[in-house]
Amino acid sequence: MDTVIARIDPSNPDPGMISRAGGIIRSGGLVAFPTETVYGLGGDALSGDSSRAIYAAKGRPSDNPLIVHIADMKSLGRIVKSVPDKAYALAEKFWPGPLTMIMDKSDEVPYATTGGLDTVAVRFPSDPVAQAFIRAAGGYVAAPSANLSGKPSPTSGKYVVEDMDGRIDMILYGDDSVIGLESTIVDLTGTSPVILRPGYITLEMLRSVLPDVSVDTALLADDDKTPPKAPGMKYRHYAPKGDLVIVEGERPEVIQYITDKLVADASLGKRTGVIASTQTASSYKADVVLDMGDASDHDEIARRLFGLLREMDDEEVDSIYSEAVSGEGVAAAIMNRLLKAAGHNIVVLGDIQT
Ligand code: TXA
Ligand code: MG
């Protein structure tokens, strides 16, 4: 299939391109589009055939439900059984934005979109290109992240082209994603709200609106064995081709530990890589050293992380060490993605207070 790659200026999106993209969705096709979190791979959320086409293009198991993207609050009623008061409260504060809410689905949403579940995940993104596209598409766009299954979510149009060129009808190629991590997912179908996936909207932020929000225990477990409630989290997540180890501890000890490992790995003929903060990057001698950003600037680290993991794959590194990121909030979401990528392979040095 020929994929139309359309450059889009986010400050002045070409209406012709947007309506062409919307038309593709209305007639059953697939379009990748930018959002503030990561790029999405969109299809008509109310068409089972479109959702099946999304799974096929991604190479993703079809029991892994998709997020339905809307572009105004009044669209919500049609796809959920009823809008819980808690959803209004969270929407008031965090929509449009990087928050996905799970609610009971209406009959209009096909089971192909929800992976057979009676619930539906809904997000109202803030990205202006995403919003214009969703409106042009008829108001309901089902979209997982626009990566091939087994790759990190794409945070730049160039990664979408890498993964999806030839597999979908069109790519709306805008700016790099400003957040860089997938949305926070909160489940509103139980007695109290539960975070199923951490993200830019943190536990603390959600609790400022709804004090009874908690975190899915499967996310807190330090292994992959407790079954998660978000079906997507049970699948083997992205892992780099090389072995990834996360190293946590006081800065000098972390540098010493990684340096010793690099020497040992190099002597075995391995190609080595380090993901380090701006403050420490120059301390390492490895084949590839990538700067994740200022150690205290978690927003910057979030924005860069998935791109760095792709670079390590492109560089064919065998053995990768990443410094841990410490702190609450976005740092917790970054560590969640890093731990998954590393298969929970983390070395904790010394006596760490957590
Ligand atoms: O930021 C994002 O959320 C991006 C952009 C494109 O919006 N999308 C994204 O979609 O990350 P995806 O498909 O890669 O991740 C969706 C996650 C999966 O883990 C899936 O299992 C979970 O949401 N999910 C979707 N519907 C669900 C439901 N009804 N119940 C529980 N989990 C659900
Ligand atoms: Mg994904």
Side-chain angles (χ1 to χ4, degrees), residues 38 58 60 64 144-147 151-153 182 197 237:
V38 300
K58 253 185 93 85
R60 167 174 179 160
N64 190 354
S145 48
N147 53 287
K151 294 276 210 97
S153 296
E182 307 89 345
R197 182 172 71 183
H237 218 252

PDB file of all heavy atoms in Angstrom, residues 38 58 60 64 144-147 151-153 182 197 237, ligand 2:
ATOM      1  N   VAL A  38       2.143  10.616  22.481  1.00  0.00           N
ATOM      2  CA  VAL A  38       2.908   9.909  21.449  1.00  0.00           C
ATOM      3  C   VAL A  38       2.039   9.915  20.195  1.00  0.00           C
ATOM      4  O   VAL A  38       0.858  10.265  20.260  1.00  0.00           O
ATOM      5  CB  VAL A  38       3.225   8.442  21.874  1.00  0.00           C
ATOM      6  CG1 VAL A  38       4.047   8.411  23.154  1.00  0.00           C
ATOM      7  CG2 VAL A  38       1.957   7.589  22.033  1.00  0.00           C
ATOM      8  N   LYS A  58      -0.491  -3.021  13.066  1.00  0.00           N
ATOM      9  CA  LYS A  58       0.473  -2.971  14.169  1.00  0.00           C
ATOM     10  C   LYS A  58       1.130  -4.312  14.447  1.00  0.00           C
ATOM     11  O   LYS A  58       2.173  -4.376  15.088  1.00  0.00           O
ATOM     12  CB  LYS A  58      -0.272  -2.567  15.455  1.00  0.00           C
ATOM     13  CG  LYS A  58      -0.015  -1.167  15.933  1.00  0.00           C
ATOM     14  CD  LYS A  58      -0.710  -0.932  17.251  1.00  0.00           C
ATOM     15  CE  LYS A  58       0.171  -1.201  18.447  1.00  0.00           C
ATOM     16  NZ  LYS A  58       1.020  -0.087  18.870  1.00  0.00           N
ATOM     17  N   ARG A  60      -0.567  -6.555  16.315  1.00  0.00           N
ATOM     18  CA  ARG A  60      -0.893  -6.574  17.738  1.00  0.00           C
ATOM     19  C   ARG A  60      -2.034  -7.551  18.009  1.00  0.00           C
ATOM     20  O   ARG A  60      -2.953  -7.645  17.223  1.00  0.00           O
ATOM     21  CB  ARG A  60      -1.329  -5.159  18.125  1.00  0.00           C
ATOM     22  CG  ARG A  60      -1.993  -5.010  19.471  1.00  0.00           C
ATOM     23  CD  ARG A  60      -2.220  -3.525  19.720  1.00  0.00           C
ATOM     24  NE  ARG A  60      -2.867  -3.268  20.976  1.00  0.00           N
ATOM     25  CZ  ARG A  60      -2.826  -2.074  21.591  1.00  0.00           C
ATOM     26  NH1 ARG A  60      -2.172  -1.089  21.030  1.00  0.00           N
ATOM     27  NH2 ARG A  60      -3.435  -1.884  22.714  1.00  0.00           N
ATOM     28  N   ASN A  64      -6.309  -6.853  22.865  1.00  0.00           N
ATOM     29  CA  ASN A  64      -5.700  -5.714  23.551  1.00  0.00           C
ATOM     30  C   ASN A  64      -6.483  -4.461  23.164  1.00  0.00           C
ATOM     31  O   ASN A  64      -6.366  -3.987  22.038  1.00  0.00           O
ATOM     32  CB  ASN A  64      -4.235  -5.605  23.123  1.00  0.00           C
ATOM     33  CG  ASN A  64      -3.471  -4.600  23.957  1.00  0.00           C
ATOM     34  OD1 ASN A  64      -4.055  -3.900  24.777  1.00  0.00           O
ATOM     35  ND2 ASN A  64      -2.182  -4.524  23.729  1.00  0.00           N
ATOM     36  N   PRO A 144      -4.237   3.085  19.018  1.00  0.00           N
ATOM     37  CA  PRO A 144      -3.119   2.715  19.876  1.00  0.00           C
ATOM     38  C   PRO A 144      -1.929   3.577  19.484  1.00  0.00           C
ATOM     39  O   PRO A 144      -2.013   4.379  18.547  1.00  0.00           O
ATOM     40  CB  PRO A 144      -2.867   1.252  19.492  1.00  0.00           C
ATOM     41  CG  PRO A 144      -3.226   1.191  18.043  1.00  0.00           C
ATOM     42  CD  PRO A 144      -4.305   2.248  17.810  1.00  0.00           C
ATOM     43  N   SER A 145      -0.829   3.447  20.186  1.00  0.00           N
ATOM     44  CA  SER A 145       0.390   4.131  19.762  1.00  0.00           C
ATOM     45  C   SER A 145       0.789   3.603  18.381  1.00  0.00           C
ATOM     46  O   SER A 145       0.570   2.427  18.063  1.00  0.00           O
ATOM     47  CB  SER A 145       1.497   3.887  20.780  1.00  0.00           C
ATOM     48  OG  SER A 145       1.587   2.511  21.110  1.00  0.00           O
ATOM     49  N   ALA A 146       1.396   4.467  17.550  1.00  0.00           N
ATOM     50  CA  ALA A 146       1.591   4.156  16.133  1.00  0.00           C
ATOM     51  C   ALA A 146       2.896   3.406  15.845  1.00  0.00           C
ATOM     52  O   ALA A 146       3.486   3.558  14.777  1.00  0.00           O
ATOM     53  CB  ALA A 146       1.518   5.431  15.292  1.00  0.00           C
ATOM     54  N   ASN A 147       3.339   2.593  16.803  1.00  0.00           N
ATOM     55  CA  ASN A 147       4.534   1.767  16.603  1.00  0.00           C
ATOM     56  C   ASN A 147       4.128   0.359  16.188  1.00  0.00           C
ATOM     57  O   ASN A 147       3.013  -0.071  16.467  1.00  0.00           O
ATOM     58  CB  ASN A 147       5.319   1.680  17.921  1.00  0.00           C
ATOM     59  CG  ASN A 147       4.426   1.208  19.062  1.00  0.00           C
ATOM     60  OD1 ASN A 147       3.588   1.960  19.539  1.00  0.00           O
ATOM     61  ND2 ASN A 147       4.584  -0.041  19.469  1.00  0.00           N
ATOM     62  N   LYS A 151       8.002  -2.396  19.454  1.00  0.00           N
ATOM     63  CA  LYS A 151       8.858  -1.189  19.374  1.00  0.00           C
ATOM     64  C   LYS A 151       8.328  -0.158  20.376  1.00  0.00           C
ATOM     65  O   LYS A 151       7.162  -0.191  20.727  1.00  0.00           O
ATOM     66  CB  LYS A 151       8.786  -0.574  17.968  1.00  0.00           C
ATOM     67  CG  LYS A 151       9.361  -1.433  16.863  1.00  0.00           C
ATOM     68  CD  LYS A 151      10.868  -1.261  16.756  1.00  0.00           C
ATOM     69  CE  LYS A 151      11.356  -1.461  15.341  1.00  0.00           C
ATOM     70  NZ  LYS A 151      11.518  -0.203  14.614  1.00  0.00           N
ATOM     71  N   PRO A 152       9.190   0.789  20.783  1.00  0.00           N
ATOM     72  CA  PRO A 152       8.691   1.837  21.680  1.00  0.00           C
ATOM     73  C   PRO A 152       7.669   2.723  20.960  1.00  0.00           C
ATOM     74  O   PRO A 152       7.728   2.866  19.745  1.00  0.00           O
ATOM     75  CB  PRO A 152       9.948   2.671  22.004  1.00  0.00           C
ATOM     76  CG  PRO A 152      11.105   1.885  21.526  1.00  0.00           C
ATOM     77  CD  PRO A 152      10.620   0.954  20.461  1.00  0.00           C
ATOM     78  N   SER A 153       6.772   3.321  21.728  1.00  0.00           N
ATOM     79  CA  SER A 153       5.812   4.257  21.140  1.00  0.00           C
ATOM     80  C   SER A 153       6.566   5.373  20.423  1.00  0.00           C
ATOM     81  O   SER A 153       7.566   5.874  20.921  1.00  0.00           O
ATOM     82  CB  SER A 153       4.934   4.874  22.239  1.00  0.00           C
ATOM     83  OG  SER A 153       4.155   3.889  22.864  1.00  0.00           O
ATOM     84  N   GLU A 182       3.122   7.675  27.049  1.00  0.00           N
ATOM     85  CA  GLU A 182       1.698   7.470  26.809  1.00  0.00           C
ATOM     86  C   GLU A 182       0.875   8.008  27.987  1.00  0.00           C
ATOM     87  O   GLU A 182       1.366   8.128  29.106  1.00  0.00           O
ATOM     88  CB  GLU A 182       1.385   5.983  26.615  1.00  0.00           C
ATOM     89  CG  GLU A 182       2.224   5.280  25.563  1.00  0.00           C
ATOM     90  CD  GLU A 182       3.507   4.699  26.137  1.00  0.00           C
ATOM     91  OE1 GLU A 182       3.894   5.073  27.269  1.00  0.00           O
ATOM     92  OE2 GLU A 182       4.125   3.869  25.440  1.00  0.00           O
ATOM     93  N   ARG A 197      -2.121   2.739  34.360  1.00  0.00           N
ATOM     94  CA  ARG A 197      -0.844   3.064  33.705  1.00  0.00           C
ATOM     95  C   ARG A 197      -0.439   4.459  34.156  1.00  0.00           C
ATOM     96  O   ARG A 197      -1.204   5.409  33.959  1.00  0.00           O
ATOM     97  CB  ARG A 197      -1.005   3.020  32.180  1.00  0.00           C
ATOM     98  CG  ARG A 197       0.316   3.299  31.426  1.00  0.00           C
ATOM     99  CD  ARG A 197       0.204   3.056  29.926  1.00  0.00           C
ATOM    100  NE  ARG A 197      -0.618   4.062  29.253  1.00  0.00           N
ATOM    101  CZ  ARG A 197      -0.927   4.040  27.958  1.00  0.00           C
ATOM    102  NH1 ARG A 197      -0.493   3.051  27.189  1.00  0.00           N
ATOM    103  NH2 ARG A 197      -1.674   4.987  27.430  1.00  0.00           N
ATOM    104  N   HIS A 237       6.329  -6.206  26.753  1.00  0.00           N
ATOM    105  CA  HIS A 237       6.384  -4.833  26.298  1.00  0.00           C
ATOM    106  C   HIS A 237       7.616  -4.665  25.439  1.00  0.00           C
ATOM    107  O   HIS A 237       8.392  -5.598  25.260  1.00  0.00           O
ATOM    108  CB  HIS A 237       6.447  -3.913  27.523  1.00  0.00           C
ATOM    109  CG  HIS A 237       5.670  -2.672  27.346  1.00  0.00           C
ATOM    110  ND1 HIS A 237       6.266  -1.456  27.179  1.00  0.00           N
ATOM    111  CD2 HIS A 237       4.338  -2.455  27.308  1.00  0.00           C
ATOM    112  CE1 HIS A 237       5.326  -0.536  27.050  1.00  0.00           C
ATOM    113  NE2 HIS A 237       4.169  -1.112  27.122  1.00  0.00           N
TER     114      HIS A 237
HETATM  115 MG    MG B   2       1.315   1.163  22.824  1.00  0.00          MG
END
